[in-house]
Amino acid sequence: RVWVKTGLLFFTALLVSGAVVGLSEVVRHERLSNEAIRLAADQGQLIQRQINQGLSAVYAIAALVRQGNGQVSDFERVATSLLRVHESLDSLQLAPDASVRQIVPLKGNEKAIGHYLMQDLGRVTEVRQAIETQKLTLAGPFELVQGGYAIVGRLPVFLDDLSASDGQRFWGLTIALIKVDKLIRTSALDRLSASGYHYELWREHPDSHEREVF
């Protein structure tokens, strides 16, 4: 009987111990899961902040275009100043009639000069969307003609025109380009990898509506 009681007590102790260990593991997993969710949210907000701050530059350039009635005489100086302020930006561009005419900095981006966005099958959907909605649109990631991968903000600019039916005409686009590798660098995403986390950056493709990882 003593042996039976001892065996029952030992078995009960094992069950209790196992339950405690199991509960402890559940709590630990939940804590780690919550920490991962918090980190992902914080990182997402940081990336969004970096993008929003960079894209704000297109509004400043657009204001200059409207002020000069389609001309920006000091575009290079202004764009250079904005690039210093917004670390995530790689370049700023002017595209009158949707054709890229000016880029700051020009070095490394020469191949993009003269690029007509309305004939680029990989760009035209989002360019048309920007023009039709008259709102800033974010596009990408895609491979650049000058090399590398980037996301791009395009703001359509309209000028007053009394001869037009609605009193304004489409001038073109002011463009801010953010290279993906630069965005990752300025957003400190490498800290997640260093902490043992895996991550993906993705968006829904505007044409296929499929998940596109970049």
Side-chain angles (χ1 to χ4, degrees):
R1 290 181 180 178
V2 173
W3 180 85
V4 172
K5 287 182 179 180
T6 302
L8 287 173
L9 286 172
F10 180 70
F11 182 66
T12 301
L14 281 177
L15 287 177
V16 172
S17 176
V20 170
V21 170
L23 181 60
S24 176
E25 184 61 23
V26 169
V27 171
R28 188 182 76 87
H29 183 271
E30 186 175 345
R31 178 178 59 80
L32 291 174
S33 179
N34 289 336
E35 177 67 11
I37 292 171
R38 185 189 66 77
L39 280 173
D42 289 347
Q43 199 65 54
Q45 289 175 0
L46 177 58
I47 292 172
Q48 184 176 0
R49 211 162 39 239
Q50 291 276 30
I51 292 174
N52 289 343
Q53 288 174 356
L55 295 182
S56 66
V58 297
Y59 289 101
I61 299 297
L64 292 176
V65 172
R66 284 190 287 267
Q67 183 180 348
N69 196 32
Q71 301 294 324
V72 184
S73 57
D74 55 351
F75 173 66
E76 185 172 349
R77 179 185 63 80
V78 174
T80 300
S81 177
L82 289 170
L83 287 169
R84 288 198 193 101
V85 174
H86 303 293
E87 292 183 21
S88 60
L89 281 180
D90 189 76
S91 71
L92 289 168
Q93 307 175 11
L94 286 180
D97 298 319
S99 181
V100 178
R101 302 287 175 80
Q102 290 179 267
I103 304 177
V104 175
L106 180 58
K107 186 176 181 180
N109 295 308
E110 295 88 349
K111 290 183 179 179
I113 294 293
H115 186 56
Y116 184 46
L117 299 171
M118 300 301 287
Q119 287 184 339
D120 188 329
L121 296 179
R123 316 280 202 275
V124 67
T125 298
E126 289 157 325
V127 172
R128 283 177 177 165
Q129 181 186 19
I131 296 171
E132 289 170 3
T133 62
Q134 299 189 20
K135 293 180 180 179
L136 171 69
T137 61
L138 185 65
F142 45 75
E143 190 170 5
L144 300 167
V145 294
Q146 64 269 38
Y149 286 83
I151 54 177
V152 175
R154 302 187 185 98
L155 179 67
V157 181
F158 291 82
L159 302 179
D160 294 334
D161 187 348
L162 296 178
S163 65
S165 58
D166 58 354
Q168 59 180 3
R169 63 179 174 85
F170 173 65
W171 171 85
L173 302 150
T174 56
I175 301 171
L177 186 145
I178 302 173
K179 283 195 173 179
V180 172
D181 57 352
K182 195 168 187 178
L183 176 64
I184 291 174
R185 191 165 61 248
T186 57
S187 299
L189 276 170
D190 54 341
R191 293 179 186 173
L192 291 181
S193 297
S195 300
Y197 291 97
H198 298 279
Y199 65 87
E200 282 185 342
L201 299 178
W202 63 276
R203 68 145 188 174
E204 182 180 296
H205 194 279
D207 294 324
S208 66
H209 300 290
E210 293 181 354
R211 178 170 168 150
E212 185 176 29
V213 178
F214 61 100

